[in-house]
Amino acid sequence: METVERKFTLQVPSSTENLALIREFVSSAATQAGFDEKEVAKLELAVDEACANVIEHAYGHDVNKEVIVRARLDEQEFSIDIEDTGKGFVPADVNQEELEQLISKRKTGGLGMRLMKTLMDEVRYEIEPGKKNALHMSKRLKKTDNG
Amino acid sequence: MPNPFSVTTDSEDDFAVIRLDGAVDAHTAPEFEEAVQKVIDDGQNNIVVDCAKLTYISSAGLGVFMGFVEEVRDAGGDIKICGLSEKVKQPFEILGFETLFHFCPDVEQAKEKFGEPTDWEAAY
């Protein structure tokens, strides 16, 4: 059976002001893919967290930079690629302490990555410092009827 | 793209109620943070955050709760969270907030929770 693939791309200035627009973009694409409201909310949150990290950490709030979000849909899954050319990082070094320890130390770092990993089926980073950083995330579409 | 968000504070004798309306993300979380800081600066450590009109929250907003809760508990108060819809509650649940915060259906029930014993101290 032939797989129908649809691709959508959003390119916006690197500002947290645009996070609402990014969520709207993801919501529209995911709804079109057939995800229900609760699943759409998870996808919006995962992409918001990823883009907020790019805007704040990779680009340091430099609005002259751009955040590129590519969404790809087919019958099986919804995948998202987010690319930046900013400061890279080592994913394994991101704080993954328990909530109690974070509160005790008055730290909040690492929550976004924890959410992404829980919300999505796949989260994969490709970091090339100074060249290109790419985050790939995907979520399988659950068939609820005859599919 | 508008990102409608507002935060209002009602101060009473024994409590401050901070009401969130709209989406709390990395863009709007600083406004929420300022509101909590102002309440604490004014000497109030019994804080209810009313989320009945909250449509969305990301880790930036969750971090505000985490950043202040120990400070207010050290001062004998607490932050109670109320009015969350099932959809908006998801990130709180994923990160385990229910083991460290009281969740209440509405503001009145949240107020009644102050003074009740908690086992937060054992948690961290």
Side-chain angles (χ1 to χ4, degrees), chain A residues 10 12 14-16 18-19 22-23 26 44-59 67-69 80-84 116 135 137, chain B residues 26:
Chain A
L10 178 71
V12 293
S14 178
S15 164
T16 54
N18 291 318
L19 288 171
I22 291 168
R23 292 197 299 273
V26 172
E44 277 184 59
L45 180 57
V47 178
D48 174 305
E49 296 291 350
C51 291
N53 281 343
V54 169
I55 293 165
E56 293 177 357
H57 303 301
Y59 287 143
V67 179
I68 302 170
V69 183
I80 288 275
D81 288 282
I82 297 158
E83 290 174 11
D84 69 79
M116 282 186 264
L135 168 60
M137 301 192 286

mmCIF file of all heavy atoms in Angstrom, chain A residues 10 12 14-16 18-19 22-23 26 44-59 67-69 80-84 116 135 137, chain B residues 26:
data_model
loop_
_atom_site.group_PDB
_atom_site.id
_atom_site.type_symbol
_atom_site.label_atom_id
_atom_site.label_comp_id
_atom_site.label_asym_id
_atom_site.label_seq_id
_atom_site.Cartn_x
_atom_site.Cartn_y
_atom_site.Cartn_z
ATOM 1 N N LEU A 10 7.631 25.338 9.516
ATOM 2 C CA LEU A 10 7.401 26.657 10.110
ATOM 3 C C LEU A 10 8.759 27.253 10.456
ATOM 4 O O LEU A 10 9.590 26.589 11.069
ATOM 5 C CB LEU A 10 6.548 26.540 11.378
ATOM 6 C CG LEU A 10 6.284 27.848 12.129
ATOM 7 C CD1 LEU A 10 5.321 28.743 11.350
ATOM 8 C CD2 LEU A 10 5.715 27.575 13.521
ATOM 9 N N VAL A 12 10.348 30.696 12.197
ATOM 10 C CA VAL A 12 10.000 31.928 12.934
ATOM 11 C C VAL A 12 11.236 32.500 13.626
ATOM 12 O O VAL A 12 12.172 31.764 13.934
ATOM 13 C CB VAL A 12 8.911 31.658 14.013
ATOM 14 C CG1 VAL A 12 7.594 31.299 13.373
ATOM 15 C CG2 VAL A 12 9.362 30.594 14.997
ATOM 16 N N SER A 14 13.695 33.682 16.496
ATOM 17 C CA SER A 14 13.957 33.016 17.771
ATOM 18 C C SER A 14 13.547 33.891 18.954
ATOM 19 O O SER A 14 14.382 34.543 19.577
ATOM 20 C CB SER A 14 15.449 32.669 17.859
ATOM 21 O OG SER A 14 15.729 32.075 19.100
ATOM 22 N N SER A 15 12.242 33.898 19.236
ATOM 23 C CA SER A 15 11.708 34.666 20.358
ATOM 24 C C SER A 15 10.630 33.836 21.046
ATOM 25 O O SER A 15 9.813 33.195 20.367
ATOM 26 C CB SER A 15 11.101 35.974 19.856
ATOM 27 O OG SER A 15 10.283 36.544 20.856
ATOM 28 N N THR A 16 10.617 33.891 22.371
ATOM 29 C CA THR A 16 9.592 33.123 23.093
ATOM 30 C C THR A 16 8.183 33.600 22.745
ATOM 31 O O THR A 16 7.215 32.869 22.915
ATOM 32 C CB THR A 16 9.792 33.232 24.619
ATOM 33 O OG1 THR A 16 9.848 34.617 24.984
ATOM 34 C CG2 THR A 16 11.054 32.515 25.063
ATOM 35 N N ASN A 18 7.012 33.712 19.985
ATOM 36 C CA ASN A 18 6.505 32.867 18.901
ATOM 37 C C ASN A 18 6.147 31.450 19.342
ATOM 38 O O ASN A 18 5.737 30.632 18.514
ATOM 39 C CB ASN A 18 7.525 32.814 17.763
ATOM 40 C CG ASN A 18 7.626 34.146 17.070
ATOM 41 O OD1 ASN A 18 6.609 34.793 16.819
ATOM 42 N ND2 ASN A 18 8.843 34.587 16.772
ATOM 43 N N LEU A 19 6.299 31.154 20.625
ATOM 44 C CA LEU A 19 5.964 29.798 21.081
ATOM 45 C C LEU A 19 4.482 29.490 20.872
ATOM 46 O O LEU A 19 4.111 28.356 20.546
ATOM 47 C CB LEU A 19 6.345 29.623 22.559
ATOM 48 C CG LEU A 19 7.850 29.531 22.825
ATOM 49 C CD1 LEU A 19 8.137 29.595 24.325
ATOM 50 C CD2 LEU A 19 8.440 28.251 22.233
ATOM 51 N N ILE A 22 4.069 28.486 17.334
ATOM 52 C CA ILE A 22 4.625 27.140 17.129
ATOM 53 C C ILE A 22 3.629 26.086 17.628
ATOM 54 O O ILE A 22 3.376 25.081 16.963
ATOM 55 C CB ILE A 22 5.994 27.008 17.847
ATOM 56 C CG1 ILE A 22 7.040 27.879 17.137
ATOM 57 C CG2 ILE A 22 6.449 25.555 17.895
ATOM 58 C CD1 ILE A 22 8.336 28.070 17.904
ATOM 59 N N ARG A 23 3.013 26.338 18.779
ATOM 60 C CA ARG A 23 2.024 25.372 19.313
ATOM 61 C C ARG A 23 0.813 25.273 18.388
ATOM 62 O O ARG A 23 0.280 24.184 18.174
ATOM 63 C CB ARG A 23 1.576 25.799 20.722
ATOM 64 C CG ARG A 23 2.657 25.685 21.766
ATOM 65 C CD ARG A 23 2.077 25.718 23.177
ATOM 66 N NE ARG A 23 1.362 26.936 23.491
ATOM 67 C CZ ARG A 23 1.933 28.042 23.968
ATOM 68 N NH1 ARG A 23 3.232 28.089 24.175
ATOM 69 N NH2 ARG A 23 1.203 29.104 24.251
ATOM 70 N N VAL A 26 1.769 23.100 15.423
ATOM 71 C CA VAL A 26 1.805 21.680 15.778
ATOM 72 C C VAL A 26 0.389 21.147 15.980
ATOM 73 O O VAL A 26 0.042 20.048 15.521
ATOM 74 C CB VAL A 26 2.644 21.463 17.064
ATOM 75 C CG1 VAL A 26 2.540 20.027 17.553
ATOM 76 C CG2 VAL A 26 4.093 21.831 16.804
ATOM 77 N N GLU A 44 2.000 19.328 21.352
ATOM 78 C CA GLU A 44 2.222 20.780 21.497
ATOM 79 C C GLU A 44 3.249 21.050 22.584
ATOM 80 O O GLU A 44 4.164 21.859 22.410
ATOM 81 C CB GLU A 44 0.914 21.468 21.922
ATOM 82 C CG GLU A 44 -0.044 21.786 20.826
ATOM 83 C CD GLU A 44 -1.239 22.556 21.392
ATOM 84 O OE1 GLU A 44 -1.041 23.631 21.975
ATOM 85 O OE2 GLU A 44 -2.368 22.046 21.263
ATOM 86 N N LEU A 45 3.093 20.377 23.711
ATOM 87 C CA LEU A 45 3.981 20.602 24.853
ATOM 88 C C LEU A 45 5.411 20.166 24.535
ATOM 89 O O LEU A 45 6.370 20.891 24.829
ATOM 90 C CB LEU A 45 3.445 19.853 26.079
ATOM 91 C CG LEU A 45 4.243 19.966 27.373
ATOM 92 C CD1 LEU A 45 4.414 21.419 27.806
ATOM 93 C CD2 LEU A 45 3.559 19.167 28.493
ATOM 94 N N ALA A 46 5.558 18.993 23.915
ATOM 95 C CA ALA A 46 6.910 18.497 23.602
ATOM 96 C C ALA A 46 7.633 19.451 22.660
ATOM 97 O O ALA A 46 8.819 19.765 22.856
ATOM 98 C CB ALA A 46 6.821 17.104 22.975
ATOM 99 N N VAL A 47 6.932 19.943 21.639
ATOM 100 C CA VAL A 47 7.573 20.831 20.665
ATOM 101 C C VAL A 47 7.848 22.202 21.290
ATOM 102 O O VAL A 47 8.897 22.812 21.051
ATOM 103 C CB VAL A 47 6.716 20.956 19.385
ATOM 104 C CG1 VAL A 47 7.363 21.925 18.403
ATOM 105 C CG2 VAL A 47 6.539 19.585 18.737
ATOM 106 N N ASP A 48 6.930 22.673 22.116
ATOM 107 C CA ASP A 48 7.130 23.938 22.832
ATOM 108 C C ASP A 48 8.399 23.860 23.683
ATOM 109 O O ASP A 48 9.249 24.767 23.660
ATOM 110 C CB ASP A 48 5.898 24.210 23.712
ATOM 111 C CG ASP A 48 6.055 25.427 24.619
ATOM 112 O OD1 ASP A 48 7.029 25.491 25.387
ATOM 113 O OD2 ASP A 48 5.180 26.305 24.589
ATOM 114 N N GLU A 49 8.552 22.759 24.424
ATOM 115 C CA GLU A 49 9.735 22.598 25.281
ATOM 116 C C GLU A 49 11.016 22.602 24.449
ATOM 117 O O GLU A 49 12.006 23.234 24.819
ATOM 118 C CB GLU A 49 9.647 21.284 26.074
ATOM 119 C CG GLU A 49 8.498 21.208 27.056
ATOM 120 C CD GLU A 49 8.654 22.143 28.246
ATOM 121 O OE1 GLU A 49 9.742 22.720 28.422
ATOM 122 O OE2 GLU A 49 7.670 22.308 28.989
ATOM 123 N N ALA A 50 10.978 21.886 23.339
ATOM 124 C CA ALA A 50 12.171 21.804 22.483
ATOM 125 C C ALA A 50 12.526 23.175 21.925
ATOM 126 O O ALA A 50 13.700 23.585 21.937
ATOM 127 C CB ALA A 50 11.913 20.812 21.344
ATOM 128 N N CYS A 51 11.524 23.900 21.440
ATOM 129 C CA CYS A 51 11.781 25.215 20.839
ATOM 130 C C CYS A 51 12.191 26.241 21.895
ATOM 131 O O CYS A 51 13.047 27.096 21.637
ATOM 132 C CB CYS A 51 10.550 25.690 20.062
ATOM 133 S SG CYS A 51 10.250 24.703 18.578
ATOM 134 N N ALA A 52 11.594 26.159 23.079
ATOM 135 C CA ALA A 52 11.985 27.076 24.157
ATOM 136 C C ALA A 52 13.459 26.866 24.507
ATOM 137 O O ALA A 52 14.192 27.836 24.745
ATOM 138 C CB ALA A 52 11.098 26.858 25.389
ATOM 139 N N ASN A 53 13.906 25.613 24.494
ATOM 140 C CA ASN A 53 15.320 25.334 24.767
ATOM 141 C C ASN A 53 16.217 25.951 23.690
ATOM 142 O O ASN A 53 17.274 26.510 23.999
ATOM 143 C CB ASN A 53 15.562 23.818 24.824
ATOM 144 C CG ASN A 53 15.134 23.219 26.146
ATOM 145 O OD1 ASN A 53 14.945 23.931 27.123
ATOM 146 N ND2 ASN A 53 14.965 21.911 26.181
ATOM 147 N N VAL A 54 15.786 25.845 22.443
ATOM 148 C CA VAL A 54 16.580 26.423 21.347
ATOM 149 C C VAL A 54 16.654 27.942 21.514
ATOM 150 O O VAL A 54 17.732 28.547 21.443
ATOM 151 C CB VAL A 54 15.958 26.067 19.979
ATOM 152 C CG1 VAL A 54 16.621 26.877 18.864
ATOM 153 C CG2 VAL A 54 16.108 24.573 19.701
ATOM 154 N N ILE A 55 15.493 28.563 21.742
ATOM 155 C CA ILE A 55 15.425 30.029 21.847
ATOM 156 C C ILE A 55 16.275 30.530 23.019
ATOM 157 O O ILE A 55 17.038 31.489 22.894
ATOM 158 C CB ILE A 55 13.952 30.476 22.013
ATOM 159 C CG1 ILE A 55 13.170 30.185 20.717
ATOM 160 C CG2 ILE A 55 13.861 31.951 22.390
ATOM 161 C CD1 ILE A 55 11.651 30.241 20.871
ATOM 162 N N GLU A 56 16.163 29.851 24.152
ATOM 163 C CA GLU A 56 16.839 30.337 25.360
ATOM 164 C C GLU A 56 18.302 29.917 25.432
ATOM 165 O O GLU A 56 19.167 30.729 25.755
ATOM 166 C CB GLU A 56 16.105 29.828 26.605
ATOM 167 C CG GLU A 56 14.717 30.432 26.733
ATOM 168 C CD GLU A 56 13.945 29.899 27.925
ATOM 169 O OE1 GLU A 56 14.457 29.010 28.629
ATOM 170 O OE2 GLU A 56 12.824 30.378 28.142
ATOM 171 N N HIS A 57 18.553 28.647 25.169
ATOM 172 C CA HIS A 57 19.902 28.128 25.401
ATOM 173 C C HIS A 57 20.786 28.135 24.146
ATOM 174 O O HIS A 57 21.938 28.562 24.207
ATOM 175 C CB HIS A 57 19.832 26.721 25.986
ATOM 176 C CG HIS A 57 19.046 26.662 27.262
ATOM 177 N ND1 HIS A 57 19.404 27.401 28.370
ATOM 178 C CD2 HIS A 57 17.916 26.000 27.594
ATOM 179 C CE1 HIS A 57 18.525 27.175 29.340
ATOM 180 N NE2 HIS A 57 17.607 26.337 28.891
ATOM 181 N N ALA A 58 20.258 27.653 23.033
ATOM 182 C CA ALA A 58 21.095 27.581 21.828
ATOM 183 C C ALA A 58 21.350 28.977 21.266
ATOM 184 O O ALA A 58 22.474 29.312 20.884
ATOM 185 C CB ALA A 58 20.427 26.697 20.776
ATOM 186 N N TYR A 59 20.302 29.806 21.226
ATOM 187 C CA TYR A 59 20.433 31.137 20.621
ATOM 188 C C TYR A 59 20.492 32.278 21.630
ATOM 189 O O TYR A 59 20.648 33.445 21.226
ATOM 190 C CB TYR A 59 19.260 31.385 19.671
ATOM 191 C CG TYR A 59 19.328 30.595 18.379
ATOM 192 C CD1 TYR A 59 18.173 30.075 17.801
ATOM 193 C CD2 TYR A 59 20.540 30.371 17.734
ATOM 194 C CE1 TYR A 59 18.225 29.365 16.607
ATOM 195 C CE2 TYR A 59 20.604 29.662 16.549
ATOM 196 C CZ TYR A 59 19.441 29.167 15.984
ATOM 197 O OH TYR A 59 19.497 28.460 14.817
ATOM 198 N N VAL A 67 14.128 29.819 14.266
ATOM 199 C CA VAL A 67 13.812 28.448 14.684
ATOM 200 C C VAL A 67 13.037 27.796 13.541
ATOM 201 O O VAL A 67 12.075 28.369 13.034
ATOM 202 C CB VAL A 67 12.943 28.444 15.963
ATOM 203 C CG1 VAL A 67 12.606 27.013 16.369
ATOM 204 C CG2 VAL A 67 13.655 29.168 17.089
ATOM 205 N N ILE A 68 13.502 26.633 13.128
ATOM 206 C CA ILE A 68 12.846 25.921 12.028
ATOM 207 C C ILE A 68 12.234 24.624 12.568
ATOM 208 O O ILE A 68 12.934 23.803 13.172
ATOM 209 C CB ILE A 68 13.848 25.591 10.908
ATOM 210 C CG1 ILE A 68 14.482 26.892 10.394
ATOM 211 C CG2 ILE A 68 13.157 24.841 9.771
ATOM 212 C CD1 ILE A 68 15.660 26.667 9.462
ATOM 213 N N VAL A 69 10.949 24.493 12.374
ATOM 214 C CA VAL A 69 10.240 23.287 12.822
ATOM 215 C C VAL A 69 9.676 22.586 11.588
ATOM 216 O O VAL A 69 8.923 23.189 10.814
ATOM 217 C CB VAL A 69 9.072 23.642 13.774
ATOM 218 C CG1 VAL A 69 8.396 22.373 14.296
ATOM 219 C CG2 VAL A 69 9.568 24.496 14.933
ATOM 220 N N ILE A 80 8.731 15.202 14.099
ATOM 221 C CA ILE A 80 9.098 16.614 14.174
ATOM 222 C C ILE A 80 10.621 16.721 14.183
ATOM 223 O O ILE A 80 11.292 15.983 14.918
ATOM 224 C CB ILE A 80 8.565 17.234 15.497
ATOM 225 C CG1 ILE A 80 7.058 17.386 15.462
ATOM 226 C CG2 ILE A 80 9.240 18.553 15.799
ATOM 227 C CD1 ILE A 80 6.546 18.657 14.821
ATOM 228 N N ASP A 81 11.136 17.606 13.360
ATOM 229 C CA ASP A 81 12.568 17.893 13.394
ATOM 230 C C ASP A 81 12.754 19.374 13.684
ATOM 231 O O ASP A 81 12.120 20.221 13.045
ATOM 232 C CB ASP A 81 13.218 17.536 12.054
ATOM 233 C CG ASP A 81 13.307 16.035 11.877
ATOM 234 O OD1 ASP A 81 14.198 15.434 12.478
ATOM 235 O OD2 ASP A 81 12.450 15.469 11.171
ATOM 236 N N ILE A 82 13.605 19.673 14.655
ATOM 237 C CA ILE A 82 13.887 21.062 15.020
ATOM 238 C C ILE A 82 15.394 21.262 14.882
ATOM 239 O O ILE A 82 16.177 20.520 15.494
ATOM 240 C CB ILE A 82 13.414 21.359 16.459
ATOM 241 C CG1 ILE A 82 11.897 21.189 16.528
ATOM 242 C CG2 ILE A 82 13.817 22.768 16.880
ATOM 243 C CD1 ILE A 82 11.370 20.934 17.905
ATOM 244 N N GLU A 83 15.761 22.221 14.060
ATOM 245 C CA GLU A 83 17.188 22.437 13.802
ATOM 246 C C GLU A 83 17.606 23.819 14.257
ATOM 247 O O GLU A 83 16.837 24.771 14.168
ATOM 248 C CB GLU A 83 17.470 22.313 12.298
ATOM 249 C CG GLU A 83 17.333 20.904 11.776
ATOM 250 C CD GLU A 83 17.485 20.854 10.255
ATOM 251 O OE1 GLU A 83 17.903 21.859 9.656
ATOM 252 O OE2 GLU A 83 17.170 19.797 9.689
ATOM 253 N N ASP A 84 18.850 23.907 14.744
ATOM 254 C CA ASP A 84 19.407 25.225 15.043
ATOM 255 C C ASP A 84 20.900 25.197 14.793
ATOM 256 O O ASP A 84 21.501 24.124 14.665
ATOM 257 C CB ASP A 84 19.099 25.638 16.492
ATOM 258 C CG ASP A 84 19.834 24.807 17.517
ATOM 259 O OD1 ASP A 84 21.036 25.067 17.745
ATOM 260 O OD2 ASP A 84 19.225 23.874 18.076
ATOM 261 N N MET A 116 9.656 15.961 27.353
ATOM 262 C CA MET A 116 9.743 15.496 25.954
ATOM 263 C C MET A 116 9.886 13.977 25.885
ATOM 264 O O MET A 116 9.225 13.311 25.102
ATOM 265 C CB MET A 116 10.946 16.136 25.260
ATOM 266 C CG MET A 116 10.737 17.553 24.820
ATOM 267 S SD MET A 116 12.168 18.103 23.861
ATOM 268 C CE MET A 116 13.111 18.931 25.082
ATOM 269 N N LEU A 135 17.166 18.042 16.574
ATOM 270 C CA LEU A 135 16.375 17.212 17.492
ATOM 271 C C LEU A 135 15.290 16.544 16.666
ATOM 272 O O LEU A 135 14.541 17.205 15.944
ATOM 273 C CB LEU A 135 15.743 18.086 18.581
ATOM 274 C CG LEU A 135 14.665 17.427 19.438
ATOM 275 C CD1 LEU A 135 15.213 16.217 20.186
ATOM 276 C CD2 LEU A 135 14.083 18.429 20.428
ATOM 277 N N MET A 137 11.986 14.070 16.970
ATOM 278 C CA MET A 137 11.017 13.448 17.887
ATOM 279 C C MET A 137 9.895 12.842 17.050
ATOM 280 O O MET A 137 9.544 13.376 15.998
ATOM 281 C CB MET A 137 10.385 14.485 18.825
ATOM 282 C CG MET A 137 11.365 15.235 19.684
ATOM 283 S SD MET A 137 10.547 16.193 20.997
ATOM 284 C CE MET A 137 9.853 17.549 20.063
ATOM 285 N N ALA B 26 7.285 29.815 28.219
ATOM 286 C CA ALA B 26 8.542 30.510 28.530
ATOM 287 C C ALA B 26 8.406 32.020 28.332
ATOM 288 O O ALA B 26 9.180 32.795 28.893
ATOM 289 C CB ALA B 26 9.666 29.959 27.660
#
